[in-house]
PDB file of all heavy atoms in Angstrom:
ATOM      1  N   SER A 263      38.699-136.891 -13.954  1.00  0.00           N
ATOM      2  CA  SER A 263      37.708-136.704 -15.049  1.00  0.00           C
ATOM      3  C   SER A 263      38.376-135.988 -16.240  1.00  0.00           C
ATOM      4  O   SER A 263      37.651-135.392 -17.031  1.00  0.00           O
ATOM      5  CB  SER A 263      36.512-135.966 -14.547  1.00  0.00           C
ATOM      6  OG  SER A 263      36.941-134.649 -14.068  1.00  0.00           O
ATOM      7  N   ALA A 264      39.723-136.095 -16.369  1.00  0.00           N
ATOM      8  CA  ALA A 264      40.446-135.509 -17.460  1.00  0.00           C
ATOM      9  C   ALA A 264      40.183-134.015 -17.566  1.00  0.00           C
ATOM     10  O   ALA A 264      40.067-133.432 -18.666  1.00  0.00           O
ATOM     11  CB  ALA A 264      40.025-136.189 -18.788  1.00  0.00           C
ATOM     12  N   GLY A 265      40.055-133.349 -16.431  1.00  0.00           N
ATOM     13  CA  GLY A 265      39.943-131.887 -16.403  1.00  0.00           C
ATOM     14  C   GLY A 265      38.667-131.349 -16.934  1.00  0.00           C
ATOM     15  O   GLY A 265      38.590-130.177 -17.341  1.00  0.00           O
ATOM     16  N   GLN A 266      37.577-132.150 -16.808  1.00  0.00           N
ATOM     17  CA  GLN A 266      36.315-131.653 -17.439  1.00  0.00           C
ATOM     18  C   GLN A 266      35.805-130.373 -16.919  1.00  0.00           C
ATOM     19  O   GLN A 266      35.473-129.465 -17.698  1.00  0.00           O
ATOM     20  CB  GLN A 266      35.235-132.781 -17.264  1.00  0.00           C
ATOM     21  CG  GLN A 266      33.906-132.432 -17.871  1.00  0.00           C
ATOM     22  CD  GLN A 266      32.905-133.610 -17.778  1.00  0.00           C
ATOM     23  OE1 GLN A 266      33.309-134.764 -17.921  1.00  0.00           O
ATOM     24  NE2 GLN A 266      31.651-133.258 -17.563  1.00  0.00           N
ATOM     25  N   ALA A 267      35.739-130.221 -15.597  1.00  0.00           N
ATOM     26  CA  ALA A 267      35.241-128.950 -15.044  1.00  0.00           C
ATOM     27  C   ALA A 267      36.174-127.832 -15.326  1.00  0.00           C
ATOM     28  O   ALA A 267      35.720-126.662 -15.609  1.00  0.00           O
ATOM     29  CB  ALA A 267      34.972-129.114 -13.552  1.00  0.00           C
ATOM     30  N   TRP A 268      37.494-128.016 -15.277  1.00  0.00           N
ATOM     31  CA  TRP A 268      38.454-126.985 -15.582  1.00  0.00           C
ATOM     32  C   TRP A 268      38.215-126.499 -17.013  1.00  0.00           C
ATOM     33  O   TRP A 268      38.196-125.297 -17.277  1.00  0.00           O
ATOM     34  CB  TRP A 268      39.858-127.578 -15.525  1.00  0.00           C
ATOM     35  CG  TRP A 268      40.421-127.769 -14.156  1.00  0.00           C
ATOM     36  CD1 TRP A 268      40.093-127.130 -13.015  1.00  0.00           C
ATOM     37  CD2 TRP A 268      41.385-128.744 -13.748  1.00  0.00           C
ATOM     38  NE1 TRP A 268      40.743-127.602 -11.899  1.00  0.00           N
ATOM     39  CE2 TRP A 268      41.631-128.586 -12.378  1.00  0.00           C
ATOM     40  CE3 TRP A 268      42.115-129.703 -14.441  1.00  0.00           C
ATOM     41  CZ2 TRP A 268      42.553-129.399 -11.649  1.00  0.00           C
ATOM     42  CZ3 TRP A 268      43.022-130.502 -13.739  1.00  0.00           C
ATOM     43  CH2 TRP A 268      43.221-130.309 -12.330  1.00  0.00           C
ATOM     44  N   ARG A 269      38.043-127.441 -17.952  1.00  0.00           N
ATOM     45  CA  ARG A 269      37.874-127.064 -19.351  1.00  0.00           C
ATOM     46  C   ARG A 269      36.563-126.332 -19.558  1.00  0.00           C
ATOM     47  O   ARG A 269      36.487-125.372 -20.312  1.00  0.00           O
ATOM     48  CB  ARG A 269      37.980-128.351 -20.223  1.00  0.00           C
ATOM     49  CG  ARG A 269      39.380-128.922 -20.322  1.00  0.00           C
ATOM     50  CD  ARG A 269      39.535-130.104 -21.267  1.00  0.00           C
ATOM     51  NE  ARG A 269      39.072-131.318 -20.639  1.00  0.00           N
ATOM     52  CZ  ARG A 269      38.031-131.983 -20.933  1.00  0.00           C
ATOM     53  NH1 ARG A 269      37.145-131.484 -21.904  1.00  0.00           N
ATOM     54  NH2 ARG A 269      37.658-133.086 -20.402  1.00  0.00           N
ATOM     55  N   GLU A 270      35.501-126.776 -18.860  1.00  0.00           N
ATOM     56  CA  GLU A 270      34.193-126.125 -19.033  1.00  0.00           C
ATOM     57  C   GLU A 270      34.205-124.712 -18.602  1.00  0.00           C
ATOM     58  O   GLU A 270      33.450-123.836 -19.127  1.00  0.00           O
ATOM     59  CB  GLU A 270      33.157-126.915 -18.240  1.00  0.00           C
ATOM     60  CG  GLU A 270      32.737-128.251 -18.809  1.00  0.00           C
ATOM     61  CD  GLU A 270      31.765-129.015 -17.929  1.00  0.00           C
ATOM     62  OE1 GLU A 270      31.499-128.525 -16.760  1.00  0.00           O
ATOM     63  OE2 GLU A 270      31.300-130.064 -18.328  1.00  0.00           O
ATOM     64  N   HIS A 271      35.049-124.368 -17.609  1.00  0.00           N
ATOM     65  CA  HIS A 271      35.068-123.026 -17.036  1.00  0.00           C
ATOM     66  C   HIS A 271      36.278-122.219 -17.419  1.00  0.00           C
ATOM     67  O   HIS A 271      36.504-121.138 -16.946  1.00  0.00           O
ATOM     68  CB  HIS A 271      34.942-123.103 -15.523  1.00  0.00           C
ATOM     69  CG  HIS A 271      33.651-123.700 -15.071  1.00  0.00           C
ATOM     70  ND1 HIS A 271      32.478-123.002 -15.042  1.00  0.00           N
ATOM     71  CD2 HIS A 271      33.336-124.990 -14.605  1.00  0.00           C
ATOM     72  CE1 HIS A 271      31.500-123.781 -14.600  1.00  0.00           C
ATOM     73  NE2 HIS A 271      31.970-124.988 -14.343  1.00  0.00           N
ATOM     74  N   GLY A 272      37.112-122.757 -18.362  1.00  0.00           N
ATOM     75  CA  GLY A 272      38.261-122.004 -18.853  1.00  0.00           C
ATOM     76  C   GLY A 272      39.275-121.737 -17.807  1.00  0.00           C
ATOM     77  O   GLY A 272      39.946-120.707 -17.813  1.00  0.00           O
ATOM     78  N   ILE A 273      39.497-122.666 -16.912  1.00  0.00           N
ATOM     79  CA  ILE A 273      40.496-122.522 -15.819  1.00  0.00           C
ATOM     80  C   ILE A 273      41.897-122.858 -16.330  1.00  0.00           C
ATOM     81  O   ILE A 273      42.056-123.771 -17.185  1.00  0.00           O
ATOM     82  CB  ILE A 273      40.115-123.447 -14.617  1.00  0.00           C
ATOM     83  CG1 ILE A 273      38.657-123.136 -14.154  1.00  0.00           C
ATOM     84  CG2 ILE A 273      41.090-123.242 -13.501  1.00  0.00           C
ATOM     85  CD1 ILE A 273      38.428-121.712 -13.797  1.00  0.00           C
ATOM     86  N   THR A 274      42.921-122.189 -15.817  1.00  0.00           N
ATOM     87  CA  THR A 274      44.272-122.407 -16.222  1.00  0.00           C
ATOM     88  C   THR A 274      45.138-122.916 -15.047  1.00  0.00           C
ATOM     89  O   THR A 274      44.711-122.822 -13.887  1.00  0.00           O
ATOM     90  CB  THR A 274      44.906-121.092 -16.745  1.00  0.00           C
ATOM     91  OG1 THR A 274      44.953-120.161 -15.658  1.00  0.00           O
ATOM     92  CG2 THR A 274      44.149-120.544 -17.873  1.00  0.00           C
ATOM     93  N   ALA A 275      46.273-123.508 -15.393  1.00  0.00           N
ATOM     94  CA  ALA A 275      47.149-124.116 -14.379  1.00  0.00           C
ATOM     95  C   ALA A 275      47.561-123.044 -13.378  1.00  0.00           C
ATOM     96  O   ALA A 275      47.734-123.412 -12.186  1.00  0.00           O
ATOM     97  CB  ALA A 275      48.342-124.793 -15.049  1.00  0.00           C
ATOM     98  N   ASP A 276      47.864-121.854 -13.807  1.00  0.00           N
ATOM     99  CA  ASP A 276      48.333-120.864 -12.864  1.00  0.00           C
ATOM    100  C   ASP A 276      47.238-120.516 -11.862  1.00  0.00           C
ATOM    101  O   ASP A 276      47.498-120.264 -10.662  1.00  0.00           O
ATOM    102  CB  ASP A 276      48.869-119.612 -13.573  1.00  0.00           C
ATOM    103  CG  ASP A 276      47.889-118.959 -14.547  1.00  0.00           C
ATOM    104  OD1 ASP A 276      46.847-119.597 -14.811  1.00  0.00           O
ATOM    105  OD2 ASP A 276      48.208-117.876 -15.076  1.00  0.00           O
ATOM    106  N   GLN A 277      45.936-120.544 -12.272  1.00  0.00           N
ATOM    107  CA  GLN A 277      44.878-120.321 -11.360  1.00  0.00           C
ATOM    108  C   GLN A 277      44.747-121.477 -10.364  1.00  0.00           C
ATOM    109  O   GLN A 277      44.515-121.270  -9.126  1.00  0.00           O
ATOM    110  CB  GLN A 277      43.505-120.201 -12.095  1.00  0.00           C
ATOM    111  CG  GLN A 277      43.357-118.942 -12.917  1.00  0.00           C
ATOM    112  CD  GLN A 277      42.036-118.953 -13.662  1.00  0.00           C
ATOM    113  OE1 GLN A 277      41.882-119.733 -14.669  1.00  0.00           O
ATOM    114  NE2 GLN A 277      41.046-118.196 -13.239  1.00  0.00           N
ATOM    115  N   VAL A 278      44.920-122.730 -10.838  1.00  0.00           N
ATOM    116  CA  VAL A 278      44.746-123.912  -9.967  1.00  0.00           C
ATOM    117  C   VAL A 278      45.922-123.883  -8.961  1.00  0.00           C
ATOM    118  O   VAL A 278      45.653-124.178  -7.763  1.00  0.00           O
ATOM    119  CB  VAL A 278      44.814-125.172 -10.828  1.00  0.00           C
ATOM    120  CG1 VAL A 278      44.799-126.377  -9.890  1.00  0.00           C
ATOM    121  CG2 VAL A 278      43.628-125.205 -11.801  1.00  0.00           C
ATOM    122  N   ARG A 279      47.051-123.523  -9.339  1.00  0.00           N
ATOM    123  CA  ARG A 279      48.222-123.500  -8.363  1.00  0.00           C
ATOM    124  C   ARG A 279      47.970-122.390  -7.342  1.00  0.00           C
ATOM    125  O   ARG A 279      48.195-122.655  -6.148  1.00  0.00           O
ATOM    126  CB  ARG A 279      49.521-123.196  -9.103  1.00  0.00           C
ATOM    127  CG  ARG A 279      49.977-124.370  -9.981  1.00  0.00           C
ATOM    128  CD  ARG A 279      51.406-124.161 -10.449  1.00  0.00           C
ATOM    129  NE  ARG A 279      51.793-125.168 -11.395  1.00  0.00           N
ATOM    130  CZ  ARG A 279      51.727-125.061 -12.730  1.00  0.00           C
ATOM    131  NH1 ARG A 279      51.304-123.929 -13.251  1.00  0.00           N
ATOM    132  NH2 ARG A 279      52.082-126.053 -13.534  1.00  0.00           N
ATOM    133  N   ALA A 280      47.500-121.225  -7.747  1.00  0.00           N
ATOM    134  CA  ALA A 280      47.231-120.167  -6.821  1.00  0.00           C
ATOM    135  C   ALA A 280      46.177-120.495  -5.786  1.00  0.00           C
ATOM    136  O   ALA A 280      46.372-120.265  -4.578  1.00  0.00           O
ATOM    137  CB  ALA A 280      46.882-118.880  -7.536  1.00  0.00           C
ATOM    138  N   VAL A 281      45.100-121.110  -6.257  1.00  0.00           N
ATOM    139  CA  VAL A 281      44.044-121.441  -5.378  1.00  0.00           C
ATOM    140  C   VAL A 281      44.392-122.599  -4.385  1.00  0.00           C
ATOM    141  O   VAL A 281      43.937-122.547  -3.215  1.00  0.00           O
ATOM    142  CB  VAL A 281      42.779-121.844  -6.199  1.00  0.00           C
ATOM    143  CG1 VAL A 281      41.758-122.683  -5.369  1.00  0.00           C
ATOM    144  CG2 VAL A 281      42.101-120.593  -6.702  1.00  0.00           C
ATOM    145  N   ASN A 282      45.174-123.503  -4.860  1.00  0.00           N
ATOM    146  CA  ASN A 282      45.421-124.725  -4.059  1.00  0.00           C
ATOM    147  C   ASN A 282      46.734-124.648  -3.305  1.00  0.00           C
ATOM    148  O   ASN A 282      47.061-125.590  -2.560  1.00  0.00           O
ATOM    149  CB  ASN A 282      45.471-125.925  -4.964  1.00  0.00           C
ATOM    150  CG  ASN A 282      44.071-126.284  -5.479  1.00  0.00           C
ATOM    151  OD1 ASN A 282      43.213-126.709  -4.694  1.00  0.00           O
ATOM    152  ND2 ASN A 282      43.812-126.028  -6.744  1.00  0.00           N
ATOM    153  N   ALA A 283      47.448-123.516  -3.367  1.00  0.00           N
ATOM    154  CA  ALA A 283      48.723-123.425  -2.600  1.00  0.00           C
ATOM    155  C   ALA A 283      48.449-123.529  -1.130  1.00  0.00           C
ATOM    156  O   ALA A 283      49.381-123.936  -0.333  1.00  0.00           O
ATOM    157  CB  ALA A 283      49.371-122.064  -2.931  1.00  0.00           C
ATOM    158  N   ALA A 284      47.248-123.267  -0.655  1.00  0.00           N
ATOM    159  CA  ALA A 284      46.943-123.351   0.772  1.00  0.00           C
ATOM    160  C   ALA A 284      47.017-124.805   1.251  1.00  0.00           C
ATOM    161  O   ALA A 284      47.067-125.031   2.494  1.00  0.00           O
ATOM    162  CB  ALA A 284      45.518-122.845   1.037  1.00  0.00           C
ATOM    163  N   ILE A 285      47.016-125.764   0.402  1.00  0.00           N
ATOM    164  CA  ILE A 285      47.208-127.183   0.789  1.00  0.00           C
ATOM    165  C   ILE A 285      48.497-127.345   1.607  1.00  0.00           C
ATOM    166  O   ILE A 285      48.537-128.082   2.566  1.00  0.00           O
ATOM    167  CB  ILE A 285      47.192-128.089  -0.434  1.00  0.00           C
ATOM    168  CG1 ILE A 285      45.826-128.113  -1.131  1.00  0.00           C
ATOM    169  CG2 ILE A 285      47.562-129.532  -0.012  1.00  0.00           C
ATOM    170  CD1 ILE A 285      45.736-128.906  -2.443  1.00  0.00           C
ATOM    171  N   ASP A 286      49.485-126.572   1.212  1.00  0.00           N
ATOM    172  CA  ASP A 286      50.780-126.628   1.834  1.00  0.00           C
ATOM    173  C   ASP A 286      50.727-126.287   3.327  1.00  0.00           C
ATOM    174  O   ASP A 286      51.565-126.802   4.140  1.00  0.00           O
ATOM    175  CB  ASP A 286      51.822-125.696   1.133  1.00  0.00           C
ATOM    176  CG  ASP A 286      53.226-125.966   1.511  1.00  0.00           C
ATOM    177  OD1 ASP A 286      53.628-127.154   1.702  1.00  0.00           O
ATOM    178  OD2 ASP A 286      54.000-125.029   1.623  1.00  0.00           O
ATOM    179  N   ASP A 287      49.770-125.448   3.745  1.00  0.00           N
ATOM    180  CA  ASP A 287      49.617-125.067   5.146  1.00  0.00           C
ATOM    181  C   ASP A 287      49.315-126.226   6.013  1.00  0.00           C
ATOM    182  O   ASP A 287      49.685-126.279   7.208  1.00  0.00           O
ATOM    183  CB  ASP A 287      48.606-123.989   5.299  1.00  0.00           C
ATOM    184  CG  ASP A 287      48.982-122.664   4.620  1.00  0.00           C
ATOM    185  OD1 ASP A 287      50.202-122.442   4.445  1.00  0.00           O
ATOM    186  OD2 ASP A 287      48.046-121.894   4.291  1.00  0.00           O
ATOM    187  N   GLY A 288      48.535-127.198   5.474  1.00  0.00           N
ATOM    188  CA  GLY A 288      48.125-128.332   6.271  1.00  0.00           C
ATOM    189  C   GLY A 288      48.902-129.615   5.975  1.00  0.00           C
ATOM    190  O   GLY A 288      48.927-130.525   6.801  1.00  0.00           O
ATOM    191  N   SER A 289      49.474-129.706   4.779  1.00  0.00           N
ATOM    192  CA  SER A 289      50.194-130.915   4.416  1.00  0.00           C
ATOM    193  C   SER A 289      51.123-130.669   3.228  1.00  0.00           C
ATOM    194  O   SER A 289      50.725-130.719   2.098  1.00  0.00           O
ATOM    195  CB  SER A 289      49.234-132.010   3.990  1.00  0.00           C
ATOM    196  OG  SER A 289      49.891-133.166   3.472  1.00  0.00           O
ATOM    197  N   PRO A 290      52.446-130.446   3.494  1.00  0.00           N
ATOM    198  CA  PRO A 290      53.413-130.263   2.404  1.00  0.00           C
ATOM    199  C   PRO A 290      53.394-131.543   1.486  1.00  0.00           C
ATOM    200  O   PRO A 290      53.614-131.427   0.292  1.00  0.00           O
ATOM    201  CB  PRO A 290      54.736-130.105   3.160  1.00  0.00           C
ATOM    202  CG  PRO A 290      54.318-129.508   4.458  1.00  0.00           C
ATOM    203  CD  PRO A 290      53.044-130.169   4.818  1.00  0.00           C
ATOM    204  N   ALA A 291      53.210-132.725   2.062  1.00  0.00           N
ATOM    205  CA  ALA A 291      53.210-133.918   1.257  1.00  0.00           C
ATOM    206  C   ALA A 291      52.056-133.899   0.233  1.00  0.00           C
ATOM    207  O   ALA A 291      52.198-134.282  -0.908  1.00  0.00           O
ATOM    208  CB  ALA A 291      53.058-135.167   2.195  1.00  0.00           C
ATOM    209  N   LEU A 292      50.838-133.502   0.690  1.00  0.00           N
ATOM    210  CA  LEU A 292      49.683-133.456  -0.234  1.00  0.00           C
ATOM    211  C   LEU A 292      49.849-132.320  -1.224  1.00  0.00           C
ATOM    212  O   LEU A 292      49.336-132.422  -2.400  1.00  0.00           O
ATOM    213  CB  LEU A 292      48.414-133.334   0.520  1.00  0.00           C
ATOM    214  CG  LEU A 292      48.010-134.573   1.400  1.00  0.00           C
ATOM    215  CD1 LEU A 292      46.713-134.333   2.104  1.00  0.00           C
ATOM    216  CD2 LEU A 292      48.026-135.855   0.552  1.00  0.00           C
ATOM    217  N   TRP A 293      50.527-131.224  -0.838  1.00  0.00           N
ATOM    218  CA  TRP A 293      50.782-130.102  -1.808  1.00  0.00           C
ATOM    219  C   TRP A 293      51.720-130.608  -2.902  1.00  0.00           C
ATOM    220  O   TRP A 293      51.536-130.291  -4.072  1.00  0.00           O
ATOM    221  CB  TRP A 293      51.249-128.958  -1.068  1.00  0.00           C
ATOM    222  CG  TRP A 293      51.649-127.771  -1.991  1.00  0.00           C
ATOM    223  CD1 TRP A 293      52.851-127.035  -1.922  1.00  0.00           C
ATOM    224  CD2 TRP A 293      50.915-127.168  -3.087  1.00  0.00           C
ATOM    225  NE1 TRP A 293      52.857-126.075  -2.905  1.00  0.00           N
ATOM    226  CE2 TRP A 293      51.667-126.130  -3.622  1.00  0.00           C
ATOM    227  CE3 TRP A 293      49.714-127.448  -3.624  1.00  0.00           C
ATOM    228  CZ2 TRP A 293      51.295-125.331  -4.671  1.00  0.00           C
ATOM    229  CZ3 TRP A 293      49.230-126.686  -4.684  1.00  0.00           C
ATOM    230  CH2 TRP A 293      50.034-125.649  -5.222  1.00  0.00           C
ATOM    231  N   LYS A 294      52.695-131.384  -2.527  1.00  0.00           N
ATOM    232  CA  LYS A 294      53.624-131.937  -3.496  1.00  0.00           C
ATOM    233  C   LYS A 294      52.848-132.873  -4.486  1.00  0.00           C
ATOM    234  O   LYS A 294      53.034-132.784  -5.707  1.00  0.00           O
ATOM    235  CB  LYS A 294      54.735-132.770  -2.813  1.00  0.00           C
ATOM    236  CG  LYS A 294      55.791-133.293  -3.782  1.00  0.00           C
ATOM    237  CD  LYS A 294      56.903-134.033  -3.043  1.00  0.00           C
ATOM    238  CE  LYS A 294      57.928-134.528  -3.954  1.00  0.00           C
ATOM    239  NZ  LYS A 294      59.056-135.227  -3.191  1.00  0.00           N
ATOM    240  N   LEU A 295      51.950-133.665  -3.946  1.00  0.00           N
ATOM    241  CA  LEU A 295      51.114-134.520  -4.818  1.00  0.00           C
ATOM    242  C   LEU A 295      50.234-133.601  -5.750  1.00  0.00           C
ATOM    243  O   LEU A 295      50.113-133.897  -6.951  1.00  0.00           O
ATOM    244  CB  LEU A 295      50.222-135.411  -3.998  1.00  0.00           C
ATOM    245  CG  LEU A 295      49.100-136.127  -4.713  1.00  0.00           C
ATOM    246  CD1 LEU A 295      49.650-137.077  -5.718  1.00  0.00           C
ATOM    247  CD2 LEU A 295      48.143-136.844  -3.711  1.00  0.00           C
ATOM    248  N   ALA A 296      49.643-132.593  -5.212  1.00  0.00           N
ATOM    249  CA  ALA A 296      48.788-131.699  -5.943  1.00  0.00           C
ATOM    250  C   ALA A 296      49.527-131.064  -7.081  1.00  0.00           C
ATOM    251  O   ALA A 296      49.033-130.965  -8.256  1.00  0.00           O
ATOM    252  CB  ALA A 296      48.147-130.604  -5.029  1.00  0.00           C
TER     253      ALA A 296
END
């Protein structure tokens, strides 16, 4: 959605990386995609 919700809530890339780093615990392949 071209980052619509991110933009609406003023979210930054460093926040997104920090929150989603846990993906790596279950799937390094999906974390690489993320």
